[in-house]
Amino acid sequence: MTAENTENTENTPGHYVDEDAPVVVRLSTTVDAPLATVWDLHTDIGSWADWNTDIESVDFGGPLAPGASFRWLTHGLDITSTIREVVPCERIVWGGPAHGIEGVHVWTFEETGEGTVTVRTEESWAGAPVEERPEEMREALRQSLESWLSRLRSEAERRR
């Protein structure tokens, strides 16, 4: 799978979580697997449903590049996300609207030892449904991201 970063995104809106959003969740995990294994697993978007049981289906024809969109079903939500940034083996960002919620999801990958990777995820949610129930939405997002990180870690370590 190829990936490219086609623009300087240091201060580009939409390439970072919305710090003013009612819900922002940040989590991380350490994965005992090579960076290439973790990155390839996570960025093979079309195969997410094969290892992440929270994702029912994904429709992604590529390429793994800014502007490409994918449609996925998770927790009963039909979501269309657009890739906003790709820095191979370092960072991927996607986002978009879903059911009145504007989400931005940032993933970063850092080799922290020989064969060890720290994966960080942060996501912001804004919009009327979030403003109405911020604590409930924050907890739902936290649980979803904890589950995703756990499944990513388990599958990458299985494949190492």
Side-chain angles (χ1 to χ4, degrees):
M1 177 169 284
T2 61
E4 59 186 77
N5 180 21
T6 59
E7 58 187 296
N8 179 351
T9 58
E10 191 165 320
N11 294 310
T12 305
H15 292 253
Y16 296 90
V17 295
D18 176 358
E19 296 292 348
D20 296 324
V23 170
V24 178
V25 174
R26 291 179 171 90
L27 298 170
S28 66
T29 193
T30 300
V31 181
D32 187 18
L35 177 58
T37 299
V38 180
W39 175 261
D40 289 347
L41 176 64
H42 189 19
T43 59
D44 184 3
I45 296 169
S47 296
W48 283 351
D50 295 344
W51 56 268
N52 187 339
T53 56
D54 287 341
I55 298 174
E56 297 163 49
S57 65
V58 180
D59 181 18
F60 180 61
L64 185 65
S69 292
F70 55 96
R71 185 174 176 188
W72 51 308
L73 208 62
T74 182
H75 301 286
L77 298 174
D78 187 351
I79 303 169
T80 298
S81 295
T82 300
I83 298 172
R84 297 179 177 176
E85 180 182 9
V86 178
V87 180
C89 292
E90 291 181 24
R91 179 179 168 89
I92 185 167
V93 181
W94 65 77
H99 307 277
I101 299 170
E102 180 65 36
V104 178
H105 202 159
V106 178
W107 291 84
T108 59
F109 303 80
E110 179 185 1
E111 197 166 34
T112 49
E114 190 171 322
T116 304
V117 176
T118 297
V119 179
R120 291 179 181 87
T121 184
E122 54 184 332
E123 186 167 358
S124 60
W125 283 0
V130 183
E131 292 166 8
E132 292 169 8
R133 301 183 331 262
E135 292 307 317
E136 180 182 330
M137 296 293 227
R138 181 176 294 104
E139 185 57 28
L141 179 56
R142 175 175 299 286
Q143 288 177 8
S144 175
L145 294 178
E146 285 174 349
S147 177
W148 193 322
L149 283 170
S150 176
R151 288 184 171 97
L152 176 65
R153 182 181 60 242
S154 293
E155 184 63 16
E157 289 177 352
R158 187 187 70 77
R159 293 184 183 194
R160 69 171 170 234

